[in-house]
Amino acid sequence: MSVYFYGCVTMDGYLADKEHNLDWLYQSGSVGETDYESFYKNMDITIMGKRTFAEIEKSEGAESFYPTTQNYVFTHSEQLSRKGFIPIKGDVAEFVKQINKNKNIWIIGGTTILSPLLDNNLVDTIIMQIAPVLLGKGIPLFSQKEARKRFRLREVKQYGQFAELVYTRIEDSGESHCGSLSTGS
C-alpha cells in the first residue's frame, strides 16, 4: 500500500482561505495544466474530509469526478448527496491501516485528514503543487503534531504557473542531509 497526498497550496502554504474558499485556486489555472490524469490512473482509493467533499458537491457532474476509485468521505453524516462517495466515521489512521496492502490511496484535501496520517507515519509521498498566490491567512496544509518527519525531494516540475514538488518519506536517521557549514577559522 502506498499513501499519497496530492494537492495544491498557495506560496505561503494554505489549502484554502480563512473562509475555506478555493477561489484563489480556480483563478490560478486548471487541472489540464498538470499531470493529474497520469497520477489518478494509478490510484485505487480516495480519502477526503467533509469540507473537501462539500467543494465537490458544488460542482456539476460531481459523480464523475473520481469514477475508477473507491471514494471515502470522513463525516458524521450517514448518507452523502452524491453517488460514488462512501461516508466513513472514526479514525482515519486506523481506517487506512485496514486497507489492502496492494492499494494506492490518494489523500485529497485538508489537514484534518492528512495530519493524523502524518502523525502515524502513513504518508509515503507528498505531491504538492504550489500556486503563485499569497493569502496571508487561511487553512494551512500542515498541522500535525510536533515531530520531525523527513522526506526526500524526488522531482520538481513546472506546469504553467504551478511548481510541483514530489517528496517521498524517508526514515529519520538523525543525520543532517543539508551539508555542513565550516567557519574557516
Side-chain angles (χ1 to χ4, degrees), residues 125-159:
T125 303
I126 295 176
I127 303 172
M128 189 169 29
Q129 294 163 354
I130 302 171
V133 177
L134 294 170
L135 292 177
K137 287 190 177 188
I139 310 304
L141 173 58
F142 299 110
S143 64
Q144 71 281 354
K145 293 178 184 172
E146 185 175 338
R148 182 181 307 171
K149 307 290 180 192
R150 291 210 180 266
F151 288 81
R152 181 172 308 282
L153 179 63
R154 194 178 69 199
E155 200 170 351
V156 177
K157 298 178 185 176
Q158 180 177 349
Y159 296 107

Side-chain angles (χ1 to χ4, degrees), residues 3-144:
V3 178
Y4 297 81
F5 169 82
Y6 177 94
C8 189
V9 296
T10 62
M11 289 173 23
D12 47 356
Y14 296 112
L15 284 167
D17 70 17
K18 59 186 177 180
E19 281 85 35
H20 297 274
N21 293 318
L22 296 175
D23 295 344
W24 64 269
L25 177 59
Y26 304 135
Q27 296 163 0
S28 298
S30 71
V31 169
E33 296 177 70
T34 68
D35 202 18
Y36 168 80
E37 295 294 330
S38 175
F39 170 80
Y40 181 71
K41 285 179 188 176
N42 293 308
M43 294 300 111
D44 301 299
I45 294 169
T46 69
I47 297 175
M48 66 192 79
K50 180 65 171 151
R51 284 200 171 112
T52 300
F53 178 72
E55 273 301 309
I56 292 169
E57 276 182 305
K58 294 180 196 175
S59 303
E60 210 171 291
E63 288 85 0
S64 65
F65 266 40
Y66 309 114
T68 62
T69 50
Q70 291 178 319
N71 307 300
Y72 296 101
V73 179
F74 275 79
T75 178
H76 296 291
S77 300
E78 296 291 326
Q79 294 184 345
L80 297 171
S81 64
R82 303 286 189 215
K83 289 183 181 179
F85 294 89
I86 304 162
I88 297 290
K89 292 180 183 178
D91 182 285
V92 67
E94 291 305 315
F95 179 76
V96 166
K97 289 175 186 177
Q98 302 303 314
I99 294 174
N100 181 314
K101 300 297 182 209
N102 296 321
K103 301 293 182 182
N104 286 326
I105 303 165
W106 174 17
I107 305 306
I108 303 173
T111 190
T112 305
I113 300 298
L114 183 59
S115 291
L117 297 174
L118 286 168
D119 290 339
N120 285 277
N121 294 318
L122 292 172
V123 179
D124 301 298
T125 303
I126 295 176
I127 303 172
M128 189 169 29
Q129 294 163 354
I130 302 171
V133 177
L134 294 170
L135 292 177
K137 287 190 177 188
I139 310 304
L141 173 58
F142 299 110
S143 64
Q144 71 281 354

